[in-house]
């Protein structure tokens, strides 16, 4: 299989090749930390891109009237960030097949989101044909102060092994 470089984001590393294979992973294993500065512009753009027009995502006066210091990221932004923590580790051949998350705090414009994950189990789902190779991951999304904003449990489907060809 040819090697390629995929720039995930202008500020992140490159992924080379297919990524990890399920049969190469030993659990438990810690995933690399992902850090992302959240600008005011990104909060507004992400809310608009996901058609989330709740005023707390773009109107600082409204956000402050609700007891927040300023605007804050929406749920889909947090979900996408958690997915990124997992798939940056596993590589472009992985895909999220399950996600469960709880909003425990907010990430505000000007904050830094920090994602730390741990692959806790791997299993083969034989209820489908062909069976799926799955890895269950726990992720903690915090802000720059270490306050928990969003605990996430997700499952990645991964290729079983590397195939040259």
């Amino acid at each position: 299989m040819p090697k390629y470089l995929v720039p995930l984001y202008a500020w992140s590393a490159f992924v080379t090749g297919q990524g990890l294979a399920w049969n190469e992973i030993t659990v438990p294993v810690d995933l690399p930390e992902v850090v992302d500065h959240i600008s005011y512009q990104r909060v507004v753009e992400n809310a608009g891109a996901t058609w989330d027009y709740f005023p707390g995502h773009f109107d600082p006066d409204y956000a402050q009237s609700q007891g927040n210091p300023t605007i804050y990221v929406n749920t889909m932004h947090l979900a996408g960030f958690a997915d990124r923590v997992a798939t940056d580790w596993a590589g472009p051949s992985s895909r999220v097949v399950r996600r469960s998350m709880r909003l425990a705090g907010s990430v505000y414009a000007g904050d830094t989101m920090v994602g730390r994950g741990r692959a806790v189990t791997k299993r083969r789902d034989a209820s489908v044909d062909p069976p799926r190779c799955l890895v269950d991951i726990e992720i903690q999304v915090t802000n720059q102060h270490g306050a928990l904003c969003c605990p996430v449990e997700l499952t990645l489907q991964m290729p079983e092994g590397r195939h040259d060809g």
Side-chain angles (χ1 to χ4, degrees):
M1 175 167 278
K3 297 284 186 187
Y4 56 91
L5 294 177
V6 178
L8 298 175
Y9 304 93
W11 56 89
S12 74
F14 286 89
V15 173
T16 303
Q18 243 185 346
L20 296 175
W22 183 83
N23 62 9
E24 298 172 333
I25 298 169
T26 302
V27 293
V29 63
D30 291 327
L31 281 58
E33 181 178 272
V34 177
V35 177
D36 196 6
H37 179 71
I38 306 302
S39 69
Y40 189 96
Q41 180 177 349
R42 288 196 46 222
V43 174
V44 173
E45 287 176 345
N46 186 272
T50 58
W51 292 48
D52 184 349
Y53 296 113
F54 180 72
H57 304 311
F58 63 85
D59 183 344
D61 292 333
Y62 179 86
Q64 290 168 358
S65 76
Q66 300 297 305
N68 296 290
T70 189
I71 62 173
Y72 46 92
V73 300
N74 69 2
T75 305
M76 287 180 271
H77 194 140
L78 289 164
F81 181 71
D83 291 357
R84 177 180 163 202
V85 171
T87 58
D88 275 8
W89 165 72
S93 294
S94 65
R95 69 184 186 103
V96 176
V97 295
R98 182 191 66 86
R99 181 189 324 104
S100 174
M101 54 191 284
R102 182 175 59 86
L103 302 180
S106 295
V107 176
Y108 299 103
D111 279 352
T112 299
M113 268 194 308
V114 180
R116 295 180 184 93
R118 183 171 181 83
V120 293
T121 58
K122 67 184 232 181
R123 56 196 164 87
R124 188 179 309 275
D125 176 10
S127 69
V128 295
D129 187 26
R132 298 186 305 170
C133 297
L134 305 174
V135 177
D136 296 315
I137 298 174
E138 296 173 351
I139 297 171
Q140 304 290 310
V141 178
T142 64
N143 66 16
Q144 70 275 16
H145 305 294
L148 179 63
C149 300
C150 185
V152 181
E153 296 175 356
L154 62 78
T155 301
L156 286 181
Q157 181 176 352
M158 301 178 66
E160 182 171 7
R162 295 179 190 261
H163 301 286
D164 295 329

